[in-house]
PDB file of all heavy atoms in Angstrom:
ATOM      1  N   LYS Q   1      12.574   6.319  -4.537  1.00  0.00           N
ATOM      2  CA  LYS Q   1      12.542   5.410  -3.395  1.00  0.00           C
ATOM      3  C   LYS Q   1      11.823   6.037  -2.199  1.00  0.00           C
ATOM      4  O   LYS Q   1      11.060   5.355  -1.495  1.00  0.00           O
ATOM      5  CB  LYS Q   1      13.971   5.022  -2.979  1.00  0.00           C
ATOM      6  CG  LYS Q   1      14.621   4.040  -3.946  1.00  0.00           C
ATOM      7  CD  LYS Q   1      16.025   3.687  -3.513  1.00  0.00           C
ATOM      8  CE  LYS Q   1      16.631   2.632  -4.428  1.00  0.00           C
ATOM      9  NZ  LYS Q   1      17.995   2.282  -4.014  1.00  0.00           N
ATOM     10  N   ASP Q   2      12.058   7.328  -1.960  1.00  0.00           N
ATOM     11  CA  ASP Q   2      11.339   8.009  -0.873  1.00  0.00           C
ATOM     12  C   ASP Q   2       9.820   8.020  -1.147  1.00  0.00           C
ATOM     13  O   ASP Q   2       9.033   7.838  -0.210  1.00  0.00           O
ATOM     14  CB  ASP Q   2      11.858   9.452  -0.713  1.00  0.00           C
ATOM     15  CG  ASP Q   2      13.265   9.515  -0.154  1.00  0.00           C
ATOM     16  OD1 ASP Q   2      13.771   8.491   0.335  1.00  0.00           O
ATOM     17  OD2 ASP Q   2      13.865  10.615  -0.206  1.00  0.00           O
ATOM     18  N   LYS Q   3       9.453   8.221  -2.403  1.00  0.00           N
ATOM     19  CA  LYS Q   3       8.021   8.220  -2.761  1.00  0.00           C
ATOM     20  C   LYS Q   3       7.436   6.843  -2.546  1.00  0.00           C
ATOM     21  O   LYS Q   3       6.313   6.699  -2.045  1.00  0.00           O
ATOM     22  CB  LYS Q   3       7.846   8.670  -4.203  1.00  0.00           C
ATOM     23  CG  LYS Q   3       6.413   8.924  -4.580  1.00  0.00           C
ATOM     24  CD  LYS Q   3       5.853  10.072  -3.791  1.00  0.00           C
ATOM     25  CE  LYS Q   3       4.486  10.460  -4.297  1.00  0.00           C
ATOM     26  NZ  LYS Q   3       3.899  11.556  -3.534  1.00  0.00           N
ATOM     27  N   VAL Q   4       8.190   5.788  -2.900  1.00  0.00           N
ATOM     28  CA  VAL Q   4       7.725   4.400  -2.685  1.00  0.00           C
ATOM     29  C   VAL Q   4       7.494   4.175  -1.194  1.00  0.00           C
ATOM     30  O   VAL Q   4       6.454   3.635  -0.788  1.00  0.00           O
ATOM     31  CB  VAL Q   4       8.740   3.386  -3.237  1.00  0.00           C
ATOM     32  CG1 VAL Q   4       8.475   1.997  -2.694  1.00  0.00           C
ATOM     33  CG2 VAL Q   4       8.732   3.388  -4.742  1.00  0.00           C
ATOM     34  N   ASP Q   5       8.446   4.581  -0.351  1.00  0.00           N
ATOM     35  CA  ASP Q   5       8.300   4.401   1.101  1.00  0.00           C
ATOM     36  C   ASP Q   5       7.072   5.157   1.621  1.00  0.00           C
ATOM     37  O   ASP Q   5       6.305   4.641   2.444  1.00  0.00           O
ATOM     38  CB  ASP Q   5       9.558   4.877   1.836  1.00  0.00           C
ATOM     39  CG  ASP Q   5      10.758   3.977   1.575  1.00  0.00           C
ATOM     40  OD1 ASP Q   5      10.574   2.808   1.136  1.00  0.00           O
ATOM     41  OD2 ASP Q   5      11.892   4.436   1.797  1.00  0.00           O
ATOM     42  N   SER Q   6       6.895   6.371   1.124  1.00  0.00           N
ATOM     43  CA  SER Q   6       5.747   7.179   1.575  1.00  0.00           C
ATOM     44  C   SER Q   6       4.427   6.520   1.144  1.00  0.00           C
ATOM     45  O   SER Q   6       3.481   6.450   1.942  1.00  0.00           O
ATOM     46  CB  SER Q   6       5.878   8.574   0.961  1.00  0.00           C
ATOM     47  OG  SER Q   6       4.730   9.336   1.203  1.00  0.00           O
ATOM     48  N   LEU Q   7       4.380   6.044  -0.105  1.00  0.00           N
ATOM     49  CA  LEU Q   7       3.148   5.415  -0.574  1.00  0.00           C
ATOM     50  C   LEU Q   7       2.875   4.083   0.129  1.00  0.00           C
ATOM     51  O   LEU Q   7       1.720   3.734   0.389  1.00  0.00           O
ATOM     52  CB  LEU Q   7       3.217   5.223  -2.099  1.00  0.00           C
ATOM     53  CG  LEU Q   7       3.107   6.506  -2.912  1.00  0.00           C
ATOM     54  CD1 LEU Q   7       3.395   6.238  -4.382  1.00  0.00           C
ATOM     55  CD2 LEU Q   7       1.753   7.169  -2.732  1.00  0.00           C
ATOM     56  N   LYS Q   8       3.935   3.326   0.448  1.00  0.00           N
ATOM     57  CA  LYS Q   8       3.763   2.087   1.208  1.00  0.00           C
ATOM     58  C   LYS Q   8       3.158   2.374   2.582  1.00  0.00           C
ATOM     59  O   LYS Q   8       2.247   1.654   3.044  1.00  0.00           O
ATOM     60  CB  LYS Q   8       5.096   1.366   1.391  1.00  0.00           C
ATOM     61  CG  LYS Q   8       5.523   0.559   0.207  1.00  0.00           C
ATOM     62  CD  LYS Q   8       6.831  -0.196   0.523  1.00  0.00           C
ATOM     63  CE  LYS Q   8       7.278  -1.079  -0.603  1.00  0.00           C
ATOM     64  NZ  LYS Q   8       8.530  -1.783  -0.277  1.00  0.00           N
ATOM     65  N   LYS Q   9       3.649   3.413   3.248  1.00  0.00           N
ATOM     66  CA  LYS Q   9       3.112   3.794   4.548  1.00  0.00           C
ATOM     67  C   LYS Q   9       1.642   4.211   4.412  1.00  0.00           C
ATOM     68  O   LYS Q   9       0.789   3.803   5.206  1.00  0.00           O
ATOM     69  CB  LYS Q   9       3.941   4.919   5.163  1.00  0.00           C
ATOM     70  CG  LYS Q   9       3.477   5.304   6.561  1.00  0.00           C
ATOM     71  CD  LYS Q   9       4.377   6.353   7.158  1.00  0.00           C
ATOM     72  CE  LYS Q   9       3.995   6.809   8.529  1.00  0.00           C
ATOM     73  NZ  LYS Q   9       2.658   6.553   9.021  1.00  0.00           N
ATOM     74  N   TYR Q  10       1.360   4.989   3.391  1.00  0.00           N
ATOM     75  CA  TYR Q  10      -0.006   5.451   3.141  1.00  0.00           C
ATOM     76  C   TYR Q  10      -0.951   4.254   2.914  1.00  0.00           C
ATOM     77  O   TYR Q  10      -2.033   4.175   3.515  1.00  0.00           O
ATOM     78  CB  TYR Q  10      -0.001   6.371   1.911  1.00  0.00           C
ATOM     79  CG  TYR Q  10      -1.354   6.817   1.432  1.00  0.00           C
ATOM     80  CD1 TYR Q  10      -2.082   7.775   2.122  1.00  0.00           C
ATOM     81  CD2 TYR Q  10      -1.896   6.275   0.267  1.00  0.00           C
ATOM     82  CE1 TYR Q  10      -3.322   8.186   1.663  1.00  0.00           C
ATOM     83  CE2 TYR Q  10      -3.140   6.661  -0.176  1.00  0.00           C
ATOM     84  CZ  TYR Q  10      -3.856   7.638   0.529  1.00  0.00           C
ATOM     85  OH  TYR Q  10      -5.088   8.036   0.071  1.00  0.00           O
ATOM     86  N   LEU Q  11      -0.497   3.296   2.081  1.00  0.00           N
ATOM     87  CA  LEU Q  11      -1.301   2.108   1.787  1.00  0.00           C
ATOM     88  C   LEU Q  11      -1.468   1.234   3.014  1.00  0.00           C
ATOM     89  O   LEU Q  11      -2.565   0.747   3.315  1.00  0.00           O
ATOM     90  CB  LEU Q  11      -0.673   1.314   0.635  1.00  0.00           C
ATOM     91  CG  LEU Q  11      -1.455   0.159   0.059  1.00  0.00           C
ATOM     92  CD1 LEU Q  11      -2.795   0.619  -0.490  1.00  0.00           C
ATOM     93  CD2 LEU Q  11      -0.643  -0.546  -1.012  1.00  0.00           C
ATOM     94  N   ALA Q  12      -0.399   1.054   3.789  1.00  0.00           N
ATOM     95  CA  ALA Q  12      -0.466   0.248   4.994  1.00  0.00           C
ATOM     96  C   ALA Q  12      -1.420   0.872   6.000  1.00  0.00           C
ATOM     97  O   ALA Q  12      -2.212   0.147   6.660  1.00  0.00           O
ATOM     98  CB  ALA Q  12       0.942   0.088   5.593  1.00  0.00           C
ATOM     99  N   ASP Q  13      -1.367   2.179   6.144  1.00  0.00           N
ATOM    100  CA  ASP Q  13      -2.279   2.863   7.071  1.00  0.00           C
ATOM    101  C   ASP Q  13      -3.731   2.705   6.617  1.00  0.00           C
ATOM    102  O   ASP Q  13      -4.634   2.486   7.434  1.00  0.00           O
ATOM    103  CB  ASP Q  13      -1.915   4.345   7.200  1.00  0.00           C
ATOM    104  CG  ASP Q  13      -0.629   4.591   7.958  1.00  0.00           C
ATOM    105  OD1 ASP Q  13      -0.129   3.672   8.617  1.00  0.00           O
ATOM    106  OD2 ASP Q  13      -0.105   5.731   7.873  1.00  0.00           O
ATOM    107  N   ALA Q  14      -3.936   2.793   5.306  1.00  0.00           N
ATOM    108  CA  ALA Q  14      -5.301   2.682   4.774  1.00  0.00           C
ATOM    109  C   ALA Q  14      -5.851   1.271   4.918  1.00  0.00           C
ATOM    110  O   ALA Q  14      -7.022   1.080   5.215  1.00  0.00           O
ATOM    111  CB  ALA Q  14      -5.320   3.114   3.308  1.00  0.00           C
ATOM    112  N   LEU Q  15      -5.000   0.258   4.703  1.00  0.00           N
ATOM    113  CA  LEU Q  15      -5.462  -1.125   4.766  1.00  0.00           C
ATOM    114  C   LEU Q  15      -5.518  -1.649   6.203  1.00  0.00           C
ATOM    115  O   LEU Q  15      -6.242  -2.595   6.504  1.00  0.00           O
ATOM    116  CB  LEU Q  15      -4.565  -2.035   3.918  1.00  0.00           C
ATOM    117  CG  LEU Q  15      -4.693  -1.896   2.417  1.00  0.00           C
ATOM    118  CD1 LEU Q  15      -3.643  -2.733   1.703  1.00  0.00           C
ATOM    119  CD2 LEU Q  15      -6.101  -2.282   1.963  1.00  0.00           C
ATOM    120  N   ASN Q  16      -4.742  -1.038   7.099  1.00  0.00           N
ATOM    121  CA  ASN Q  16      -4.729  -1.391   8.505  1.00  0.00           C
ATOM    122  C   ASN Q  16      -4.531  -2.885   8.735  1.00  0.00           C
ATOM    123  O   ASN Q  16      -5.240  -3.536   9.501  1.00  0.00           O
ATOM    124  CB  ASN Q  16      -6.023  -0.900   9.174  1.00  0.00           C
ATOM    125  CG  ASN Q  16      -5.889  -0.842  10.685  1.00  0.00           C
ATOM    126  OD1 ASN Q  16      -4.780  -0.715  11.196  1.00  0.00           O
ATOM    127  ND2 ASN Q  16      -7.008  -0.936  11.385  1.00  0.00           N
ATOM    128  N   GLY Q  17      -3.598  -3.496   7.988  1.00  0.00           N
ATOM    129  CA  GLY Q  17      -3.270  -4.917   8.179  1.00  0.00           C
ATOM    130  C   GLY Q  17      -4.127  -5.884   7.393  1.00  0.00           C
ATOM    131  O   GLY Q  17      -3.897  -7.087   7.452  1.00  0.00           O
ATOM    132  N   GLU Q  18      -5.131  -5.412   6.673  1.00  0.00           N
ATOM    133  CA  GLU Q  18      -6.003  -6.287   5.892  1.00  0.00           C
ATOM    134  C   GLU Q  18      -5.392  -6.582   4.519  1.00  0.00           C
ATOM    135  O   GLU Q  18      -4.769  -5.716   3.919  1.00  0.00           O
ATOM    136  CB  GLU Q  18      -7.373  -5.640   5.676  1.00  0.00           C
ATOM    137  CG  GLU Q  18      -8.150  -5.417   6.962  1.00  0.00           C
ATOM    138  CD  GLU Q  18      -9.467  -4.705   6.697  1.00  0.00           C
ATOM    139  OE1 GLU Q  18     -10.018  -4.849   5.571  1.00  0.00           O
ATOM    140  OE2 GLU Q  18      -9.967  -4.026   7.603  1.00  0.00           O
ATOM    141  N   LYS Q  19      -5.623  -7.789   4.005  1.00  0.00           N
ATOM    142  CA  LYS Q  19      -5.175  -8.136   2.668  1.00  0.00           C
ATOM    143  C   LYS Q  19      -6.082  -7.476   1.637  1.00  0.00           C
ATOM    144  O   LYS Q  19      -7.257  -7.232   1.898  1.00  0.00           O
ATOM    145  CB  LYS Q  19      -5.205  -9.656   2.447  1.00  0.00           C
ATOM    146  CG  LYS Q  19      -4.200 -10.417   3.236  1.00  0.00           C
ATOM    147  CD  LYS Q  19      -4.300 -11.903   2.886  1.00  0.00           C
ATOM    148  CE  LYS Q  19      -3.280 -12.702   3.657  1.00  0.00           C
ATOM    149  NZ  LYS Q  19      -3.365 -14.123   3.329  1.00  0.00           N
ATOM    150  N   MET Q  20      -5.494  -7.244   0.441  1.00  0.00           N
ATOM    151  CA  MET Q  20      -6.289  -6.702  -0.651  1.00  0.00           C
ATOM    152  C   MET Q  20      -5.833  -7.398  -1.926  1.00  0.00           C
ATOM    153  O   MET Q  20      -4.640  -7.505  -2.201  1.00  0.00           O
ATOM    154  CB  MET Q  20      -6.072  -5.205  -0.778  1.00  0.00           C
ATOM    155  CG  MET Q  20      -6.872  -4.579  -1.929  1.00  0.00           C
ATOM    156  SD  MET Q  20      -6.396  -2.887  -2.250  1.00  0.00           S
ATOM    157  CE  MET Q  20      -5.249  -3.129  -3.580  1.00  0.00           C
ATOM    158  N   THR Q  21      -6.785  -7.916  -2.713  1.00  0.00           N
ATOM    159  CA  THR Q  21      -6.433  -8.587  -3.969  1.00  0.00           C
ATOM    160  C   THR Q  21      -7.372  -8.139  -5.055  1.00  0.00           C
ATOM    161  O   THR Q  21      -8.600  -8.090  -4.862  1.00  0.00           O
ATOM    162  CB  THR Q  21      -6.549 -10.113  -3.801  1.00  0.00           C
ATOM    163  OG1 THR Q  21      -5.729 -10.532  -2.690  1.00  0.00           O
ATOM    164  CG2 THR Q  21      -6.091 -10.839  -5.055  1.00  0.00           C
ATOM    165  N   THR Q  22      -6.782  -7.742  -6.193  1.00  0.00           N
ATOM    166  CA  THR Q  22      -7.562  -7.431  -7.368  1.00  0.00           C
ATOM    167  C   THR Q  22      -6.941  -8.212  -8.522  1.00  0.00           C
ATOM    168  O   THR Q  22      -6.007  -8.965  -8.340  1.00  0.00           O
ATOM    169  CB  THR Q  22      -7.496  -5.903  -7.706  1.00  0.00           C
ATOM    170  OG1 THR Q  22      -6.192  -5.579  -8.149  1.00  0.00           O
ATOM    171  CG2 THR Q  22      -7.895  -5.062  -6.521  1.00  0.00           C
ATOM    172  N   SER Q  23      -7.487  -8.033  -9.714  1.00  0.00           N
ATOM    173  CA  SER Q  23      -6.936  -8.755 -10.863  1.00  0.00           C
ATOM    174  C   SER Q  23      -5.537  -8.247 -11.259  1.00  0.00           C
ATOM    175  O   SER Q  23      -4.782  -8.943 -11.925  1.00  0.00           O
ATOM    176  CB  SER Q  23      -7.882  -8.641 -12.057  1.00  0.00           C
ATOM    177  OG  SER Q  23      -8.022  -7.273 -12.425  1.00  0.00           O
ATOM    178  N   LYS Q  24      -5.170  -7.067 -10.819  1.00  0.00           N
ATOM    179  CA  LYS Q  24      -3.884  -6.479 -11.194  1.00  0.00           C
ATOM    180  C   LYS Q  24      -2.855  -6.445 -10.080  1.00  0.00           C
ATOM    181  O   LYS Q  24      -1.667  -6.319 -10.339  1.00  0.00           O
ATOM    182  CB  LYS Q  24      -4.098  -5.049 -11.684  1.00  0.00           C
ATOM    183  CG  LYS Q  24      -4.910  -4.958 -12.955  1.00  0.00           C
ATOM    184  CD  LYS Q  24      -5.045  -3.516 -13.386  1.00  0.00           C
ATOM    185  CE  LYS Q  24      -5.878  -3.433 -14.661  1.00  0.00           C
ATOM    186  NZ  LYS Q  24      -6.014  -2.064 -15.119  1.00  0.00           N
ATOM    187  N   VAL Q  25      -3.287  -6.571  -8.843  1.00  0.00           N
ATOM    188  CA  VAL Q  25      -2.360  -6.427  -7.719  1.00  0.00           C
ATOM    189  C   VAL Q  25      -2.846  -7.195  -6.513  1.00  0.00           C
ATOM    190  O   VAL Q  25      -4.052  -7.400  -6.333  1.00  0.00           O
ATOM    191  CB  VAL Q  25      -2.139  -4.928  -7.366  1.00  0.00           C
ATOM    192  CG1 VAL Q  25      -3.403  -4.316  -6.778  1.00  0.00           C
ATOM    193  CG2 VAL Q  25      -0.966  -4.721  -6.465  1.00  0.00           C
ATOM    194  N   ALA Q  26      -1.876  -7.642  -5.701  1.00  0.00           N
ATOM    195  CA  ALA Q  26      -2.215  -8.291  -4.440  1.00  0.00           C
ATOM    196  C   ALA Q  26      -1.363  -7.658  -3.359  1.00  0.00           C
ATOM    197  O   ALA Q  26      -0.149  -7.495  -3.502  1.00  0.00           O
ATOM    198  CB  ALA Q  26      -1.930  -9.786  -4.512  1.00  0.00           C
TER     199      ALA Q  26
END
């Protein structure tokens, strides 16, 4: 769970509020 929270923060910082959609994930 801690790793999930850390990765969510990492992804949110990288996307900076922008949406991202691929064939495997949105």
Side-chain angles (χ1 to χ4, degrees):
K1 286 180 177 180
D2 290 348
K3 189 65 172 178
V4 165
D5 291 342
S6 173
L7 289 171
K8 279 183 177 180
K9 183 177 179 343
Y10 174 75
L11 188 59
D13 289 346
L15 289 173
N16 198 25
E18 295 178 27
K19 291 182 180 180
M20 180 191 95
T21 305
T22 69
S23 62
K24 295 182 181 181
V25 68

